[in-house]
Amino acid sequence: MIKNSLILSIAVCVSCYGADSLRLDEVTITAQKTDETAIDVPVSMGILSGNDLDDRQINKLENITNLTSNLSIFNASGIVSPNIRGIASNTALQNLNVGLYVDGVSYLGTLGNNLFLEDIERIEVLKGPQSILYGKNAYAGAINIVSKEPTNDLESKIGLKLGSDNLKGLNFSAGGAIVEDKFLARLNGFSRRKDGFVYNEYLNKTDDYEKTNFAKLYLKFKPTESLNLDLIQSLYNSKIGAPAMNLSNAKDLRKVSNNIEGKGNLKNYENSLKLSYKFKDYEFTSLSTFRNYKDNRIYDGDNTPASMIGVRSSHFQKDYSQEFRFVADKDYGKFLAGIQGSISDVKKRIIINDVMLYSDTKTKTKGYGFFSHNDFYITPTLTLILGMRFDKDEARLKHHLLADDKKDTYNAFSPKLGLKYKINENFMSYISVSKGYKAGGYLFSAPIDKMWYDKETLINYEWGFKTTWDKFDLSGAVFYADIKDKQVMTAVTPLLSYAANAAKAKSQGFELEGNYFMSDSLKFNASLGYAKSVYKTFKDAKGDYKGKYVNYAPEWTYTIGVDYYSGGGFFAGAYLRGQSKMYSDENNIYSSKGYMLIDAKIGYDSKNIGIYLYANNIFDKKHDTNYGAYTFMSEPREVGVKFEYKF
């Protein structure tokens, strides 16, 4: 497997940039909740620009999998769960392993992460525990998605996309100054329609379709040089068909015989309000967020013509958060302190064959955290890093079958210690030890006295480096993560399981990412990640899993590429990405095969007009996800053309 992965990692991929020339720009990021250049941040990370997403025709969160080292995303037709460095969990449990944020709005659960990447400035993929700054669930890393800001320049464009499976898409964006330098605005949106690829022989049609409408408004107020106010609102409505899943033993996975026509209606509204005030060497920031998500679905759970498991489900969720933070940037160090609070209200209903399984199950989670992250400049080249966070959370469950409300509370302390050594402006190295945690929760189907499970924690030991020059940049890290109280589904009998903190695990490996510019028109880029994630201790009624691989944790991930732009507007490209196989059960019996995907794009881009031909998954490689008795199908090859007019 290692040999095959290394062979694949020397393959070439080509992608493209619609710019006058290719160049290595200094990237400003907000990974540590302050503006910094990437080389100054002592965290292993991958940065995906808006150009990267546009060039590769990526507009959904699940499609960024493998685009940076040691990042994979479990996608099960409604459950979207990112994993970093092989730190993964059973998807029956409700919390993510990775903190997921869109303009400060947090996504903490495995359901409802149908994120559309429209008009994005960049995506920051932070690897290793980020609980100090981001709190619960950022214990394996964090994905920070940042929208494009409006500017003084008046710009607008419209686009049309046509492609496989009757794909039709319209998109638009417009922005500029309403009052120059004081009041800026940006509006964008899209409408997308696409037929399915799984054929229902019982209904004599494909029914895994998608119809989505999306809009986002970004308002920026700058009444003074010191005061900024950013208001971002987005809304989408997505109507979907049946989940792309089938019984794993089916003769042809892409043919089903469901006697129920699958339907889903997903709605999401989110609001982010950020106020920042700078004075001398200080900055105060207030971040207020709100999210309202609604999810209604009907589908055939047995994937047969028989009426055995007809499912109707509803999931309604409202999330509120408020954060205040204060930064002092002095000659002798940079110091950040803050407080954050959140409330989440979730209401669920599940009906199977007209029998109420969950009837308006209500969960209310609230918590608060205090955090501090400090850089002490010991010498001009050496920095001491000290950080810590304290969190307290409470979850309360209400259900008509329970005589009383059930609740659970827990505390978490997350420290960090590190050293950063910056030899010059071109090279930085760091070493760190940090702790992260993943929130506890409940599994309603378990016995009442076994319903709750506690938080999961890890301690991460890491060394890394970053270097950047005129023609190339390179970064890498080596890590070891010690995981305790791992949340697992543990079998008390061969037929009965419940959630418990019954395992210990470890993940160890490395990651490398780099870019090399041969000329103004030609750029090479590559990434390679290795993460071996195994159980140290875990046994139940079905067996002893010591030394077995953790579920849904591929050992290898890789990309490599070359970008070319002619200088006259013409460009062409393709890129490669992939991962090794992964297991879907603790005993490592069921597995999903490793895969390698190649995409391509060719086109012309001028001041006003853009024409692009693209093909995603050119060789129509199947990379399905095995889930034991069920398999979730991967999307087939998509070939399309896109037209854009800018004015």
Side-chain angles (χ1 to χ4, degrees), residues 2 34 136 160 268 354 373 408 415 420 433 483 534 543 642:
I2 294 175
T34 60
K136 59 186 177 184
L160 169 67
N268 187 75
D354 296 324
H373 189 279
D408 193 23
K420 180 175 74 171
V433 180
I483 304 168
V534 297
K642 185 175 181 180

Side-chain angles (χ1 to χ4, degrees), residues 356-464:
M356 191 78 72
L357 183 62
Y358 297 166
S359 175
D360 296 337
T361 304
K362 297 179 182 180
T363 308
K364 185 168 188 174
T365 305
K366 58 184 179 181
Y368 62 85
F370 302 94
F371 58 93
S372 177
H373 189 279
N374 307 289
D375 294 344
F376 297 91
Y377 304 149
I378 299 174
T379 71
T381 58
L382 186 63
T383 300
L384 173 66
I385 303 164
L386 290 176
M388 62 190 70
R389 182 182 181 113
F390 173 80
D391 286 284
K392 184 171 184 178
D393 292 272
E394 177 187 283
R396 184 180 295 270
L397 172 65
K398 183 177 182 180
H399 190 277
H400 74 284
L401 295 179
L402 300 175
D404 301 303
D405 291 359
K406 301 296 181 181
K407 73 173 183 176
D408 193 23
T409 61
Y410 55 87
N411 304 327
F413 178 66
S414 305
K416 180 176 182 178
L417 173 65
L419 285 172
K420 180 175 74 171
Y421 182 51
K422 190 170 183 181
I423 299 175
N424 52 43
E425 292 301 314
N426 304 111
F427 185 85
M428 182 271 288
S429 181
Y430 67 92
I431 187 169
S432 66
V433 180
S434 56
K435 186 177 181 180
Y437 84 101
K438 177 181 175 181
Y442 72 93
L443 188 68
F444 187 77
S445 57
I448 293 178
D449 61 335
K450 301 291 185 181
M451 185 178 295
W452 294 94
Y453 52 91
D454 205 352
K455 65 181 183 293
E456 177 180 329
T457 64
L458 70 76
I459 297 178
N460 184 73
Y461 307 88
E462 181 170 338
W463 171 81

Side-chain angles (χ1 to χ4, degrees), residues 287-545:
L287 177 63
S288 310
T289 71
F290 170 70
R291 178 181 178 233
N292 187 2
Y293 177 70
K294 299 179 180 179
D295 185 317
N296 292 287
R297 301 175 193 243
I298 300 172
Y299 62 93
D300 190 329
D302 55 80
N303 290 109
T304 70
S307 299
M308 293 189 294
I309 309 177
V311 181
R312 286 184 286 162
S313 67
S314 298
H315 179 100
F316 306 117
Q317 182 168 343
K318 292 183 179 181
D319 299 327
Y320 311 81
S321 74
Q322 176 62 53
E323 178 176 296
F324 299 106
R325 59 180 182 262
F326 179 80
V327 176
D329 192 356
K330 312 297 288 186
D331 293 338
Y332 48 86
K334 180 181 284 189
F335 310 96
L336 181 150
I339 181 172
Q340 185 262 346
S342 63
I343 298 175
S344 180
D345 287 315
V346 178
K347 180 179 178 182
K348 295 181 180 181
R349 176 183 296 174
I350 298 179
I351 301 173
I352 297 181
N353 296 340
D354 296 324
V355 176
M356 191 78 72
L357 183 62
Y358 297 166
S359 175
D360 296 337
T361 304
K362 297 179 182 180
T363 308
K364 185 168 188 174
T365 305
K366 58 184 179 181
Y368 62 85
F370 302 94
F371 58 93
S372 177
H373 189 279
N374 307 289
D375 294 344
F376 297 91
Y377 304 149
I378 299 174
T379 71
T381 58
L382 186 63
T383 300
L384 173 66
I385 303 164
L386 290 176
M388 62 190 70
R389 182 182 181 113
F390 173 80
D391 286 284
K392 184 171 184 178
D393 292 272
E394 177 187 283
R396 184 180 295 270
L397 172 65
K398 183 177 182 180
H399 190 277
H400 74 284
L401 295 179
L402 300 175
D404 301 303
D405 291 359
K406 301 296 181 181
K407 73 173 183 176
D408 193 23
T409 61
Y410 55 87
N411 304 327
F413 178 66
S414 305
K416 180 176 182 178
L417 173 65
L419 285 172
K420 180 175 74 171
Y421 182 51
K422 190 170 183 181
I423 299 175
N424 52 43
E425 292 301 314
N426 304 111
F427 185 85
M428 182 271 288
S429 181
Y430 67 92
I431 187 169
S432 66
V433 180
S434 56
K435 186 177 181 180
Y437 84 101
K438 177 181 175 181
Y442 72 93
L443 188 68
F444 187 77
S445 57
I448 293 178
D449 61 335
K450 301 291 185 181
M451 185 178 295
W452 294 94
Y453 52 91
D454 205 352
K455 65 181 183 293
E456 177 180 329
T457 64
L458 70 76
I459 297 178
N460 184 73
Y461 307 88
E462 181 170 338
W463 171 81
F465 73 92
K466 297 181 182 183
T467 183
T468 181
W469 301 84
D470 291 338
K471 294 293 185 179
F472 77 92
D473 64 55
L474 180 67
S475 63
V478 179
F479 61 88
Y480 176 87
D482 187 23
I483 304 168
K484 295 182 179 180
D485 299 318
K486 185 165 182 61
Q487 300 166 358
V488 292
M489 293 295 295
T490 181
V492 291
T493 71
L495 299 177
L496 176 63
S497 298
Y498 60 86
N501 300 86
K504 295 180 181 179
K506 65 179 179 180
S507 180
Q508 58 190 359
F510 67 86
E511 52 222 8
L512 288 168
E513 308 216 12
N515 297 281
Y516 175 59
F517 288 79
M518 294 189 65
S519 68
D520 288 342
S521 300
L522 189 62
K523 167 193 167 187
F524 288 89
N525 59 84
S527 71
L528 178 65
Y530 172 74
K532 185 176 182 179
S533 183
V534 297
Y535 292 108
K536 294 170 64 178
T537 60
F538 179 24
K539 63 172 63 177
D540 62 13
K542 293 184 178 180
D544 187 344
Y545 313 118

Side-chain angles (χ1 to χ4, degrees), residues 99-163:
L100 181 57
Y101 308 90
V102 182
D103 298 316
V105 179
S106 61
Y107 288 71
L108 298 177
T110 56
L111 187 66
N113 300 330
N114 308 81
L115 300 184
F116 298 99
L117 306 177
E118 187 71 13
D119 211 39
I120 299 300
E121 177 65 29
R122 68 185 180 277
I123 299 177
E124 303 166 1
V125 182
L126 316 178
K127 303 165 189 178
Q130 307 299 320
S131 295
I132 294 166
L133 291 174
Y134 292 93
K136 59 186 177 184
N137 296 7
Y139 91 130
I143 298 176
N144 187 29
I145 301 173
V146 182
S147 293
K148 287 183 180 178
E149 291 189 6
T151 66
N152 279 316
D153 298 328
L154 183 63
E155 54 179 326
S156 57
K157 69 177 180 180
I158 56 174
L160 169 67
K161 181 192 287 188
L162 303 172

Side-chain angles (χ1 to χ4, degrees), residues 235-248:
L235 174 69
Y236 74 72
N237 181 203
S238 189
K239 295 182 179 180
I240 58 175
M245 73 177 190
N246 202 350
L247 298 173
S248 294

Side-chain angles (χ1 to χ4, degrees), residues 33 274-277 283-287 322-327:
K33 301 198 174 185
K274 179 182 176 182
L275 180 149
S276 60
Y277 181 70
E283 181 177 6
F284 170 79
T285 301
S286 168
L287 177 63
Q322 176 62 53
E323 178 176 296
F324 299 106
R325 59 180 182 262
F326 179 80
V327 176

